């Protein structure tokens, strides 16, 4: 992962390399792009919402059960 300043803000460059896999992992690997895109959308929402008052690290909605 690399962050670079730009004229409009910050650019994030992420590179993933999947070096090995099995047939059983196909569904997981296929979902990586979707899941990562959803994570970036949430991050964008948090960073652009000045009225939330929430700390960025307090936004995890995953169950801890």
């Amino acid at each position: 992962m690399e962050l670079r300043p730009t004229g409009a803000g910050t650019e994030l460059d992420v590179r993933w390399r999947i070096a090995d896999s099995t047939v059983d992992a196909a569904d997981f690997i296929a979902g990586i792009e979707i899941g990562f895109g959803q994570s970036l959308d949430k991050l964008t929402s948090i960073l652009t919402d000045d009225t939330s008052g929430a700390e960025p690290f307090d936004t995890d909605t995953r169950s801890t059960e």
Side-chain angles (χ1 to χ4, degrees):
M1 294 186 178
E2 181 181 348
L3 293 171
R4 287 185 300 280
T6 67
T10 302
E11 184 175 293
L12 170 64
D13 185 23
V14 179
R15 297 172 192 219
W16 295 98
R17 181 187 310 211
I18 299 172
D20 193 18
S21 182
T22 65
V23 172
D24 293 337
D27 289 340
F28 172 77
I29 292 169
I32 288 174
E33 182 179 1
I34 293 169
F36 194 69
Q38 290 170 341
S39 296
L40 289 176
D41 290 344
K42 180 150 181 134
L43 177 61
T44 299
S45 174
I46 291 167
L47 294 175
T48 58
D49 183 9
D50 293 333
T51 62
S52 71
E55 293 294 322
F57 296 108
D58 292 339
T59 60
D60 187 354
T61 58
R62 292 177 291 179
S63 174
T64 57
E65 296 179 31

